[in-house]
């Protein structure tokens, strides 16, 4: 079974630039999560999709972050414009209800 | 916001010893899960315990859940150097299975 795929693995951008991350979940998983993990902390949920609908985005900074999940499969997370404090690992996960499966993450550095 | 808090924050033991990590959380849950994260990698799901279960085993892992105290513990028996990683508890609640992570315990197993 293929795992959750994320790209890119690493990204370095200057503040005020924009960036996008891509996630391909495990086939058949209805739930997709995006998490932000700052070094030394636990992952923080940014947004959760059920199929292609958003069910929780309470911690998503909506003035700069956006996400979509097209046709209930792949998802993209965008940051525009980026700030220094957005430097973190962005993790995508998918689930069918018995535990979440994570991708390797995208390490974003904002300079 | 973090739902769970884990202690200790860091733990260093000799190979062969047992490691115990504790997790406390704030609200009623559907189930509680434990994850492992090796440095620079994504999270790996270890074990899920439902709210009506008190104890669960998987190989060298033993998880307990006390819903009256809103706490859980993860015991790793006969630890190995390969167990060196960060361990996170995650609470799952709501009809859409929102997964919220704790602050994590960093475990070092010394060969």
């Amino acid at each position: 079974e293929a795992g959750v795929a994320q790209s890119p693995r690493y990204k370095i951008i200057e503040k005020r630039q924009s960036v996008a991350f891509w996630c391909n979940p495990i086939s058949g998983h209805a739930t997709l999560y995006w998490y932000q993990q700052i070094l030394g902390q636990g992952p923080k949920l940014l947004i959760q999709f059920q199929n292609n609908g958003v069910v929780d985005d309470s911690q998503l900074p909506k003035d700069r972050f956006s996400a979509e999940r097209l046709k209930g499969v792949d998802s993209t997370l965008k940051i525009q414009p980026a700030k220094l404090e957005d430097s973190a690992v962005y993790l995508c996960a998918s689930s069918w209800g018995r535990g979440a499966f994570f991708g390797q993450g995208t390490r974003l550095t904002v300079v | 916001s973090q739902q769970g808090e884990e202690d200790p924050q860091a733990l260093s033991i000799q190979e062969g010893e047992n490691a115990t990590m504790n997790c406390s959380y704030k609200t009623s849950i559907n189930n509680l899960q434990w994850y492992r994260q090796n440095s620079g990698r994504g999270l790996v799901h270890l074990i899920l315990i439902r709210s009506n279960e008190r104890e669960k085993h998987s190989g060298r892992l033993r998880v307990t859940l006390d819903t009256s105290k809103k706490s859980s513990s993860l015991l790793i028996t006969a630890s190995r150097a390969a167990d060196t990683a960060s361990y996170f508890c995650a609470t799952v609640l709501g009809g859409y299975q929102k997964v919220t992570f704790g602050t994590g315990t960093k475990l070092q197993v010394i060969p």
Side-chain angles (χ1 to χ4, degrees), chain B residues 44-107:
Chain B
V44 174
H45 180 260
L46 296 176
I47 195 165
L48 179 157
I49 185 164
R50 298 186 189 284
S51 59
N52 61 354
E53 297 176 310
R54 292 296 168 257
E55 188 171 311
K56 203 152 182 188
H57 297 254
S58 177
R60 294 184 296 112
L61 306 180
R62 173 178 168 254
V63 169
T64 61
L65 179 65
D66 186 334
T67 53
S68 66
K69 294 180 179 178
K70 292 187 171 56
S71 67
S72 174
S73 67
L74 171 67
L75 168 68
I76 304 174
T77 60
S79 64
R80 305 167 181 168
D83 295 328
T84 294
S86 291
Y87 291 81
F88 295 91
C89 68
T91 55
V92 182
L93 59 154
Y96 288 116
Q97 306 288 303
K98 179 176 180 176
V99 182
T100 306
F101 285 84
T103 50
T105 293
K106 195 166 186 177
L107 173 66

Side-chain angles (χ1 to χ4, degrees), chain A residues 26-91:
Chain A
I26 293 173
S27 177
H29 283 192
T31 306
L32 186 146
Y33 309 87
W34 282 102
Y35 288 87
Q36 178 194 58
Q37 187 175 24
I38 292 171
L39 188 65
Q41 299 182 15
K44 181 181 96 171
L45 179 67
L46 292 176
I47 191 167
Q48 178 180 346
F49 292 93
Q50 186 75 12
N51 296 308
N52 60 344
V54 176
V55 297
D56 192 308
D57 63 357
S58 56
Q59 297 193 91
L60 186 74
K62 298 179 186 65
D63 58 334
R64 298 184 301 106
F65 286 63
S66 64
E68 60 180 3
R69 188 179 185 195
L70 297 175
K71 299 180 182 177
V73 183
D74 291 6
S75 178
T76 55
L77 176 70
K78 296 179 182 177
I79 308 175
Q80 183 178 14
K83 293 184 177 180
L84 295 177
E85 60 258 36
D86 298 332
S87 293
V89 176
Y90 291 84
L91 296 162

